[in-house]
Amino acid sequence: MAPYASDDSTTGGEADERRSGRRKAARYVVPVTVMGVAAATIGLVPALADSGDPDLPKITAQQLIEKIAKSDVQQLSGTVKISTDLGLPDLGGLESSLMSGAAGQGEGGSSADPTAKLTELASGTHTLRVAADGPDKQKVSLLENAAEYSLVHNGKDVWGYDSKSNEVYHGTASQSPEREKEQPPATPKDFAEEALKAVDDTTSVTVDGTAQVAGRDAYKLVVKPKQSGSTVGAVTVAVDAKTGMPLKFTLTPASGGAAVVDAGFTQVSFAEPAASTFDFTPPKGAKVTEEKDAAKDFGKGSDKHFGKGFEKGGPREHAPKAGEDFGKGLDGMKTIGEGWSSIATFDTGGEGVPSGKAGGEFGGFIDSLGDKVTGKFGSGTVFSTRLINALVTDDGKVYVGAVTKDALVKAADAGK
């Protein structure tokens, strides 16, 4: 595989015991929940760059959306840069451990398990190398300081490799008929499709000129909520003028300031990658963790973080859903409202979050992360990021969404 240019310019117990365990775990699920949901919003987001405004034929928003829908790029290679600023509390080393805990370390605790590794994209700036050759060959590499994490799908095999720990995670990709509908992985196209799924009567969609991204001419599609109460300011997608494939995706918050997530290609080629790009053999001495069915376990599994994320019409599946990875007992999730102001709500079956002296050693720490609120529902705590906010009431109900604190309180009051 040809080297990639670097970028520095673009911005077991009884039932009662199990229930008791769930309730105890649920009490401490936030702010882990907030961080996990924030990680999930990577499925919603990456930025616009860069230099030049090419002179392209006029196009309407509807035509540009149709161009994206018709895009069927099967072969590509390139470099993607992702910068995420969710405004998480400064927790030092604890933040990274919470992020890993939110996604789960996977069976066996392998550092090569993508469920934990890819969650790192929820904060900071990262560089990815990506390649694809049809639905059965994809590769994503997360470049780190003097180390690299790679996720490779080649036919029936799915491999995760962490060079820092010299650990390998191996699973078998799903052979379901849905495989025929898969598309290349780890591109802004998946993110753009997710955002476009939200386009309805509550959304404003316009074409805002042109741009040049990764050396290619592109149109700029801008999607904005019409409703009040959403924390989303705008989503901007740079769409390749020739292929219709999104090259960049930016999400800016309603509160202003820098983008929440800014990601996209800094280099891209639509030529067929070398076949050797997708070859993988565990290095000598590497610890190998095996999974019999990657469709279930590799990102609980690979088909969520690698397979289903590549299916047309289902890009959200690559990211953990609220409540999905935070306790199997969190059933009965409901959605309040519609469009950009929708709120997910579920009952943890717990007792809210520990607070003050009643929270013991955790109480003061939790209080420092959230804001106490009151309403008709009683009282609770709101944990906030620049995009996702979560209200946990003192009786264990959770309200989560890309909405303001006031909108969460209003939703909790309406539930009474």
Side-chain angles (χ1 to χ4, degrees), residues 215-226:
R216 297 186 65 87
D217 292 347
Y219 292 100
K220 294 191 295 184
L221 185 70
V222 180
V223 180
K224 294 182 178 181
K226 291 181 180 179

Side-chain angles (χ1 to χ4, degrees), residues 24 82 126 185 259 303 312 341:
K24 290 178 181 178
I82 301 179
H126 305 274
D303 271 2
K312 294 179 180 179
S341 298

Side-chain angles (χ1 to χ4, degrees), residues 295-348:
K296 292 187 295 185
D297 296 319
F298 192 53
K300 306 189 182 156
S302 72
D303 271 2
K304 282 182 183 175
H305 287 271
F306 203 89
K308 290 192 177 179
F310 310 149
E311 292 175 8
K312 294 179 180 179
R316 183 187 292 273
E317 297 297 342
H318 83 288
K321 296 177 182 178
E324 182 175 80
D325 294 324
F326 310 112
K328 296 293 181 73
L330 303 183
D331 297 326
M333 180 178 293
K334 300 178 181 178
T335 300
I336 300 173
E338 62 179 356
W340 300 85
S341 298
S342 61
I343 297 171
T345 179
F346 55 93
D347 193 336
T348 66

Side-chain angles (χ1 to χ4, degrees), residues 5-60:
S6 62
D7 171 70
D8 59 2
S9 63
T10 53
T11 52
E14 295 295 321
D16 288 342
E17 291 177 345
R18 290 198 298 268
R19 285 193 293 268
S20 175
R22 292 192 192 107
R23 285 195 295 268
K24 290 178 181 178
R27 291 185 62 195
Y28 301 96
V29 78
V30 177
V32 175
T33 297
V34 174
M35 292 184 176
V37 173
T41 63
I42 292 300
L44 271 180
V45 289
L48 240 253
D50 78 23
S51 61
D53 294 320
D55 185 13
L56 296 173
K58 297 295 183 182
I59 191 170
T60 67

